[in-house]
Amino acid sequence: MKLGTLFKDALHALFSRAATEPYPNPQPNETERLRGRLMWAPEGCTGCNLCVKDCPANAIDLFVLDKKAKQFVMRYDVGRCTFCGQCMQSCRFECWHAANDDWSLAGTTVDGFTYYYGEEDDVERVLAEPVEEHPVKV
Amino acid sequence: MTELLQVLVTMLFFPAGLFLLANAMFYQWIDRKLVARLQDRVGPPWYQPLADTVKLLANEEVLPFGVNKWLFIGLPIIGLAGALTTALYLPIAGLPPAYGFPGDLIVTVYMLSMLTLCLGLAGANTRDRFSMVGATRTLTQLFSYEAPFLLALLGPALAAGSWQLSDIMAYASGNWLLLTQPIGFVVVIIGLMGKLEITPFDAPEAETEIVAGALTEYSGRGLALFRLGQWVELVIGLTMIAAFYLGGIHNPLDYVIKTLFPLLIIAGLQTLMTRLRIDQTVGMWWRYGALLALVQWLLIFLMGGGQ
Amino acid sequence: MTPSTDRKRFTVPIGPQHPALKEPGHFAFDVDGEIVQSASVRLGYAHRGIEKATESRTWVQNLYLLERICGICSHIHATAYCLGVEKLAEVEVPPRAQAIRSLVAELERIHSHLLWLGVAAHEAGFDTLFMYSWRDRETVMDILEALTGNRVHYSANVLGGVKYDVDDKQAATIREGLDFLEERTLHYLEVVTTDGLFLQRTRGIGVMNRDEAEQSGVIGPTGRASGVHRDVRIDSPYTAYAEHPILPVYESTGDLLARFIVRLREQLASFEYIRMLLDHLPNSPLTTRMPRRVKEGEAISRVEAPRGELFYFIKSNGGDMPERIHVRTPTLCNIASVAQLVIGQHLADVPMILVGIDPCFSCNDRTSVISQDGQRDLWTWDRLRQYGINHYGTHYSKDIHR
Ligand code: SF4
Ligand code: SF4
């Protein structure tokens, strides 16, 4: 029977830097594969809609302005996204990637969670149209 | 008139009253910070105990169904008052005690127990099951550590040949009783941990079993007062240990150093131990604690310390 | 609580909200003084309707929904689902993907067991061990993050393979982390087996011998601590376990201490296994083509989650959504044993015994309605809600004597 088996650890802890850190941590350790905010680049997109279909959280929507001219706008709701990475997997044209430096995504209001990706004029055209609600799959 | 003013100052500011409360919060912070550092955590900022207290005082106090209202409100006040009163007989901050009379040692020790009694009563007063179990445990624990704790505190008194705190302290300031009565020192430190319900003796408020023990139904003001009372007891206990065992207290700096030393020990022990079940606590105190204290007494007599 | 002469009826409720439980579950312990006389378990507070929800999502979407059944053993849920669906779709998953599935599963086991060690230490009031074990757990969390990009819900699986590869650099980080963790695990093994005060709280507490364990059907580390030789990884190997068997860990004393030892030694086995896997990673693509519609049929898949056997039943009608998925999590098998184990124990040991099975309530809660006359029965939202109100209402009016 022994007492104080953690004595050495405690002594070491007392004289070294604490393992916990105040938030926000001054130097976030970003890992290369960290899945932060999802980014979409319109180049290469064929409008196949696979990513939208596979997204388990219904976080993304594709607006097809002109399929032939490849004018697409992607609406992405970071508040719904679960960062599962399925969209990156589903897209065969590598339109999606996760930003590993943009991970502090919480907010104090409900605004600012929706992003529109695409060419600037296309996005403007989409925004000008009356907002259609996201179709909830049943 | 000046006498009245003096009494008021003694009661409200120094050594009882505000100064002691501030002191208690400071020591509470040191304890928490030390434990946090020993556990490899950052720990709370220095104002945390104050912030906690202010927050609790601002909270609504919920009066639970089926309690005796007067007891519910009165008990925390009595408990805290008891703890604060003891400061009058002790050299808080290294200054000579405000009052003293033969036998004030016993009064002090019983005043300290008042808080625990109030805690037990407060738990038994509510109809909450966790409080009831907590109250039973609090009182059971009181009866287990009290005797050894008292015996160990009487060791220096025996050696000094007086039951007045100032006499004992005068005697102790010449002799480091830590060296002549090491067993008593150990028993007192562990007894203090029992009194403050610090791990490993936190069975009465074991959160994973009985939520907050006797205090489960308390919120707001009552909770704040009970907590303050416990922190005050920490300071009082540390002062007694320093004055009795660590060669007396001569000036404020001396006071800080000598009270922080036992606090460091307490924080260390607290970090390294597992909570004991209440039956194990009782068994430990009666099997070892009381025995150790008696052995210490025997040694004092053999060495001819007792007059 | 009314003052009552019948001392046996002093019931201490633990849950649905209680500091010892991080999830809702209800336990009622009748105590005489500090000794528990009888106990009852009541589940179902965190029923989330996931099984039903799977029926309206595609096969791909379900992967992520099912992964979220449990926040701790998420990967293993996804693996069980993938294995079942792949069996149905008759898809052969490349060996490298299978090996990586095992690799992540073992990493997950390490993180789960370290988490459990902390929680169990906390229940015993040994907060320092709790803090240290969770601090060291960060190492394996970092490894998982580096490997997959997420600390929890790694989403390493896809139907037909895995998403993330292990390259040499990562293998090196993993090995480095494992070395550190191995040292720490050995240290903790020493702590739990030698610390006098801690032993007082674990040795000989909540003893379940092998017969009792077999009878109450406990599984996973809880069962293995009582000498039940049951481990899906060995009994019916899946992913890489067929080719590279893992070393099983058994204890025989069946007390809380044995449950600590089994879990810690399982970690040691996992370290060895991961190192071995890294040495023998087969070369192959990571994924294979997966049809969007899955052939009609039924499949069962069993895997060894950190808490014990995890069971999936999957039924397809040939469409792009499953017809029925049923999940049985290990906690369901283990939880009933708590009601037996606590009898005669001190109230103070109850949280320890409860945590000893490593319960996970919200993974566990299911609703089944069995109609014997074969009629179809439609439960609307309102009806379910009313049922809940009546159910808990009557239960509590009995319990509260006010
Ligand atoms: S990461 Fe997952 S949840 Fe987020 S947008 Fe992509 S598919 Fe949807
Ligand atoms: S899967 Fe890729 S190509 Fe298809 S719509 Fe999505 S982004 Fe475009």
Side-chain angles (χ1 to χ4, degrees):
Chain A
M1 160 149 164
K2 279 200 271 181
L3 287 178
T5 41
L6 286 174
F7 183 71
K8 262 197 219 149
D9 304 70
L11 207 63
H12 182 257
L14 187 62
F15 294 107
S16 57
R17 240 187 90 212
T20 52
E21 291 163 332
Y23 182 87
N25 164 351
Q27 284 159 338
N29 36 351
E30 280 152 18
T31 34
E32 199 186 319
R33 291 181 180 174
L34 183 99
R35 274 175 270 153
R37 176 153 74 91
L38 270 292
M39 304 295 232
W40 183 80
E43 300 88 44
C45 179
T46 56
C48 69
N49 221 21
L50 264 188
C51 55
V52 178
K53 258 194 227 149
D54 280 348
C55 173
N58 297 339
I60 46 182
D61 275 306
L62 184 73
F63 295 86
V64 184
L65 301 176
D66 187 344
K67 196 155 182 167
K68 280 218 190 82
K70 302 216 161 181
Q71 286 182 325
F72 305 111
V73 168
M74 190 64 85
R75 182 170 69 187
Y76 167 62
D77 185 348
V78 71
R80 289 195 66 91
C81 179
T82 59
F83 309 98
C84 66
Q86 178 63 39
C87 47
M88 293 148 76
Q89 190 74 22
S90 295
C91 181
R92 270 173 296 140
F93 306 97
E94 300 190 352
C95 297
W96 285 100
H97 80 274
N100 68 353
D101 53 353
D102 193 3
W103 46 266
S104 188
L105 296 167
T108 47
T109 59
V110 288
D111 311 319
F113 283 117
T114 310
Y115 294 86
Y116 287 85
Y117 297 129
E119 302 293 340
E120 244 172 65
D121 348 330
D122 299 346
V123 173
E124 262 163 39
R125 265 175 65 193
V126 170
L127 286 178
E129 279 169 28
V131 187
E132 44 163 320
E133 266 318 296
H134 179 77
V136 179
K137 290 174 201 164
V138 183
Chain B
M1 193 59 212
T2 43
E3 203 173 306
L4 182 69
L5 202 69
Q6 200 191 345
V7 170
L8 274 179
V9 168
T10 335
M11 293 294 185
L12 294 179
F13 297 103
F14 186 88
L18 282 182
F19 175 80
L20 190 57
L21 290 180
N23 201 345
M25 287 183 197
F26 180 66
Y27 275 69
Q28 165 68 14
W29 171 70
I30 298 214
D31 179 52
R32 281 167 69 174
K33 187 81 180 174
L34 269 176
V35 172
R37 292 300 295 119
L38 285 168
Q39 293 180 341
D40 216 349
R41 291 185 282 125
V42 169
W46 63 268
Y47 52 80
Q48 193 64 50
L50 180 66
D52 287 351
T53 310
V54 170
K55 189 213 97 182
L56 280 179
L57 288 176
N59 272 3
E60 180 196 358
E61 184 167 28
V62 180
L63 200 67
F65 182 78
V67 296
N68 180 322
K69 195 174 155 204
W70 298 112
L71 275 182
F72 189 83
I73 295 175
L75 283 171
I77 302 177
I78 300 174
L80 179 61
L84 286 175
T85 315
T86 50
L88 298 178
Y89 309 112
L90 285 172
I92 297 291
L95 301 174
Y99 298 99
F101 57 88
D104 53 7
L105 171 64
I106 302 298
V107 173
T108 310
V109 172
Y110 278 101
M111 279 291 184
L112 281 181
S113 297
M114 194 122 102
L115 179 73
T116 321
L117 277 175
C118 287
L119 208 64
L121 282 177
N125 182 27
T126 62
R127 293 166 68 167
D128 183 276
R129 289 155 223 220
F130 301 122
S131 295
M132 305 269 273
V133 178
T136 324
R137 289 189 185 178
T138 301
L139 295 177
T140 315
Q141 183 152 312
L142 175 72
F143 293 123
S144 62
Y145 68 73
E146 193 73 352
F149 184 63
L150 190 59
L151 288 181
L153 276 181
L154 289 185
L158 275 183
S162 162
W163 283 24
Q164 182 162 2
L165 284 163
S166 49
D167 289 349
I168 305 172
M169 284 179 264
Y171 172 78
S173 61
N175 309 284
W176 278 64
L177 290 184
L178 169 61
L179 303 177
T180 53
Q181 303 186 6
I183 308 181
F185 178 72
V186 171
V187 175
V188 161
I189 289 242
I190 300 183
L192 185 63
M193 293 173 74
K195 197 172 235 348
L196 297 172
E197 298 181 356
I198 290 177
T199 329
F201 305 115
D202 55 348
E205 48 182 63
E207 59 154 25
T208 50
E209 300 152 29
I210 49 172
V211 189
L215 290 180
T216 306
E217 289 293 330
Y218 271 88
S219 53
R221 200 182 47 95
L223 185 60
L225 293 187
F226 268 129
R227 287 264 173 264
L228 272 177
Q230 279 174 329
W231 302 345
V232 167
E233 279 202 349
L234 173 70
V235 174
I236 302 290
L238 291 173
T239 312
M240 277 170 105
I241 292 175
F244 283 13
Y245 284 95
L246 299 178
I249 298 168
H250 305 286
N251 53 48
L253 186 66
D254 204 27
Y255 173 80
V256 173
I257 294 173
K258 282 185 179 163
T259 46
L260 286 187
F261 170 66
L263 186 60
L264 182 67
I265 299 184
I266 288 181
L269 288 176
Q270 189 181 348
T271 319
L272 297 178
M273 301 229 208
T274 310
R275 180 190 307 133
L276 289 170
R277 281 199 318 251
I278 190 71
D279 57 313
Q280 291 167 342
T281 309
V282 175
M284 197 207 85
W285 276 111
W286 285 110
R287 228 172 286 148
Y288 306 111
L291 201 69
L292 281 177
L294 287 176
V295 167
Q296 182 64 69
W297 271 43
L298 204 67
L299 286 178
I300 296 170
F301 281 121
L302 287 181
M303 291 191 307
Q307 278 100 358
Chain C
M1 178 54 217
T2 39
S4 137
T5 45
D6 183 8
R7 291 175 69 211
K8 276 198 180 140
R9 279 301 300 164
F10 190 90
T11 308
V12 177
I14 296 210
Q17 280 92 29
H18 189 281
L21 305 172
K22 272 67 193 169
E23 290 173 90
H26 177 81
F27 300 84
F29 299 104
D30 290 342
V31 293
D32 180 6
E34 289 268 330
I35 309 289
V36 177
Q37 303 291 334
S38 67
S40 67
V41 184
R42 176 169 282 266
L43 296 171
Y45 291 90
H47 178 254
R48 290 172 292 174
I50 288 186
E51 281 181 8
K52 186 72 192 165
T54 56
E55 292 164 22
S56 54
R57 279 168 177 74
T58 65
W59 292 102
V60 177
Q61 288 177 318
N62 276 331
L63 175 60
Y64 302 102
L65 179 64
L66 292 167
E67 188 175 36
R68 277 154 183 79
I69 286 183
C70 183
I72 301 166
C73 33
S74 58
H75 171 79
I76 204 78
H77 273 273
T79 308
Y81 172 74
C82 284
L83 291 175
V85 177
E86 284 151 8
K87 204 189 286 176
L88 270 182
E90 289 160 18
V91 165
E92 191 71 37
V93 176
R96 192 176 178 91
Q98 297 286 31
I100 290 177
R101 280 180 182 173
S102 278
L103 179 89
V104 179
E106 291 306 318
L107 284 170
E108 182 176 77
R109 191 179 317 279
I110 295 167
H111 115 70
S112 173
H113 283 356
L114 274 174
L115 176 130
W116 175 83
L117 175 68
V119 174
H122 173 64
E123 303 288 337
F126 198 4
D127 276 357
T128 311
L129 182 56
F130 164 44
M131 298 293 166
Y132 289 159
S133 61
W134 279 39
R135 175 193 69 193
D136 298 336
R137 174 172 163 265
E138 282 304 301
T139 315
V140 66
M141 303 301 277
D142 285 345
I143 291 180
L144 282 164
E145 184 182 317
L147 200 59
T148 66
N150 264 2
R151 281 166 54 89
V152 285
H153 296 315
Y154 332 108
S155 305
N157 279 309
V158 280
L159 290 175
V162 293
K163 287 185 197 139
Y164 304 102
D165 198 4
V166 184
D167 56 25
D168 286 345
K169 211 176 110 222
Q170 263 157 351
T173 1
I174 295 179
R175 276 176 216 275
E176 203 181 305
L178 289 186
D179 288 343
F180 170 72
L181 284 169
E182 179 155 31
E183 187 198 317
R184 296 303 302 175
T185 308
L186 285 170
H187 178 52
Y188 294 138
L189 194 58
E190 193 198 320
V191 169
V192 299
T193 48
T194 59
D195 192 287
L197 288 184
F198 198 59
L199 278 178
Q200 284 202 22
R201 300 297 309 277
T202 55
R203 189 185 277 154
I205 308 279
V207 184
M208 175 164 47
N209 62 31
R210 185 168 174 172
D211 289 342
E212 286 164 356
E214 297 270 12
Q215 262 169 25
S216 55
V218 294
I219 50 172
T222 319
R224 292 197 283 275
S226 299
V228 179
H229 288 224
R230 201 173 290 146
D231 187 329
V232 185
R233 290 173 295 172
I234 290 151
D235 303 341
S236 114
Y238 51 95
T239 58
Y241 296 110
E243 200 177 327
H244 307 288
I246 191 164
L247 215 64
V249 178
Y250 304 115
E251 282 287 320
S252 53
T253 42
D255 55 358
L256 268 175
L257 178 62
R259 283 167 220 159
F260 274 91
I261 297 177
V262 159
R263 290 199 173 90
L264 284 166
R265 282 184 46 212
E266 265 184 21
Q267 280 186 47
L268 295 176
S270 295
F271 299 144
E272 275 316 304
Y273 191 74
I274 293 170
R275 288 200 189 105
M276 196 273 309
L277 269 184
L278 289 176
D279 288 339
H280 297 98
L281 272 185
N283 270 326
S284 77
L286 286 183
T287 50
T288 174
R289 241 197 73 74
M290 185 76 196
R292 298 193 80 80
R293 292 171 181 276
V294 173
K295 284 196 194 120
E296 197 176 329
E298 298 176 0
I300 277 172
S301 79
R302 301 195 299 152
V303 291
E304 184 75 13
R307 290 162 176 70
E309 179 192 315
L310 173 66
F311 172 99
Y312 265 69
F313 166 79
I314 300 165
K315 184 173 180 202
S316 167
N317 55 10
D320 61 351
M321 291 180 191
E323 181 166 318
R324 174 87 173 101
I325 291 182
H326 177 69
V327 184
R328 197 211 57 203
T329 56
T331 305
L332 189 66
C333 304
N334 287 339
I335 200 126
S337 71
V338 171
Q340 295 164 15
L341 282 180
V342 293
I343 293 177
Q345 302 283 348
H346 286 262
L347 181 61
D349 289 327
V350 164
M352 288 279 285
I353 295 173
L354 175 54
V355 164
I357 67 161
D358 204 356
C360 184
F361 297 107
S362 43
C363 315
N364 169 45
D365 288 344
R366 302 275 175 280
T367 306
S368 297
V369 182
I370 299 169
S371 59
Q372 281 166 333
D373 50 7
Q375 295 288 310
R376 275 183 84 97
D377 196 4
L378 186 67
W379 282 75
T380 58
W381 169 243
D382 285 333
R383 191 173 157 200
L384 269 173
R385 193 168 164 271
Q386 196 53 45
Y387 178 79
I389 291 169
N390 293 345
H391 186 72
Y392 294 118
T394 49
H395 170 62
Y396 275 107
S397 58
K398 261 191 277 145
D399 212 35
I400 301 172
H401 318 269
R402 282 186 179 150

